[in-house]
mmCIF file of all heavy atoms in Angstrom:
data_model
loop_
_atom_site.group_PDB
_atom_site.id
_atom_site.type_symbol
_atom_site.label_atom_id
_atom_site.label_comp_id
_atom_site.label_asym_id
_atom_site.label_seq_id
_atom_site.Cartn_x
_atom_site.Cartn_y
_atom_site.Cartn_z
ATOM 1 N N ASP B 1395 88.823 -4.390 -113.398
ATOM 2 C CA ASP B 1395 89.078 -5.779 -113.755
ATOM 3 C C ASP B 1395 88.501 -6.778 -112.692
ATOM 4 O O ASP B 1395 87.891 -7.775 -112.979
ATOM 5 C CB ASP B 1395 90.624 -6.034 -113.889
ATOM 6 C CG ASP B 1395 91.133 -5.410 -115.121
ATOM 7 O OD1 ASP B 1395 90.307 -4.904 -115.946
ATOM 8 O OD2 ASP B 1395 92.363 -5.323 -115.257
ATOM 9 N N GLY B 1412 70.360 -21.396 -117.111
ATOM 10 C CA GLY B 1412 69.318 -21.200 -118.168
ATOM 11 C C GLY B 1412 68.526 -19.948 -117.992
ATOM 12 O O GLY B 1412 67.386 -19.874 -118.432
ATOM 13 N N CYS B 1488 72.986 7.066 -100.349
ATOM 14 C CA CYS B 1488 72.869 6.931 -98.909
ATOM 15 C C CYS B 1488 74.056 7.652 -98.260
ATOM 16 O O CYS B 1488 73.894 8.358 -97.233
ATOM 17 C CB CYS B 1488 72.918 5.421 -98.518
ATOM 18 S SG CYS B 1488 71.356 4.658 -98.984
ATOM 19 N N LEU B 1497 73.023 -3.392 -97.742
ATOM 20 C CA LEU B 1497 72.534 -3.718 -99.049
ATOM 21 C C LEU B 1497 72.219 -5.192 -99.166
ATOM 22 O O LEU B 1497 73.116 -6.052 -98.795
ATOM 23 C CB LEU B 1497 73.658 -3.336 -100.089
ATOM 24 C CG LEU B 1497 73.993 -1.875 -100.159
ATOM 25 C CD1 LEU B 1497 75.391 -1.665 -100.812
ATOM 26 C CD2 LEU B 1497 72.885 -1.172 -100.988
ATOM 27 N N ASP B 1534 72.792 -15.129 -98.337
ATOM 28 C CA ASP B 1534 71.976 -14.763 -99.491
ATOM 29 C C ASP B 1534 70.807 -15.627 -99.646
ATOM 30 O O ASP B 1534 70.261 -15.742 -100.681
ATOM 31 C CB ASP B 1534 72.825 -14.587 -100.750
ATOM 32 C CG ASP B 1534 73.443 -15.932 -101.183
ATOM 33 O OD1 ASP B 1534 73.202 -16.958 -100.456
ATOM 34 O OD2 ASP B 1534 74.093 -16.004 -102.193
ATOM 35 N N ALA B 1545 64.289 -6.302 -88.395
ATOM 36 C CA ALA B 1545 65.339 -5.662 -87.600
ATOM 37 C C ALA B 1545 64.957 -4.234 -87.114
ATOM 38 O O ALA B 1545 65.671 -3.332 -87.274
ATOM 39 C CB ALA B 1545 66.625 -5.643 -88.404
ATOM 40 N N ALA B 1621 36.571 8.768 -130.196
ATOM 41 C CA ALA B 1621 36.855 7.368 -130.441
ATOM 42 C C ALA B 1621 36.910 7.044 -131.948
ATOM 43 O O ALA B 1621 37.863 6.452 -132.420
ATOM 44 C CB ALA B 1621 35.874 6.379 -129.764
ATOM 45 N N ALA B 1631 49.044 2.689 -135.143
ATOM 46 C CA ALA B 1631 50.380 3.124 -134.716
ATOM 47 C C ALA B 1631 50.978 2.227 -133.635
ATOM 48 O O ALA B 1631 52.142 1.854 -133.705
ATOM 49 C CB ALA B 1631 50.297 4.568 -134.207
ATOM 50 N N VAL B 1639 47.356 -4.795 -128.580
ATOM 51 C CA VAL B 1639 46.347 -3.989 -127.891
ATOM 52 C C VAL B 1639 45.249 -4.971 -127.319
ATOM 53 O O VAL B 1639 44.742 -5.789 -128.047
ATOM 54 C CB VAL B 1639 45.675 -3.041 -128.881
ATOM 55 C CG1 VAL B 1639 44.576 -2.195 -128.171
ATOM 56 C CG2 VAL B 1639 46.694 -2.062 -129.473
#
Side-chain angles (χ1 to χ4, degrees):
Chain B
D1395 291 349
C1488 290
L1497 297 160
D1534 64 359
V1639 179

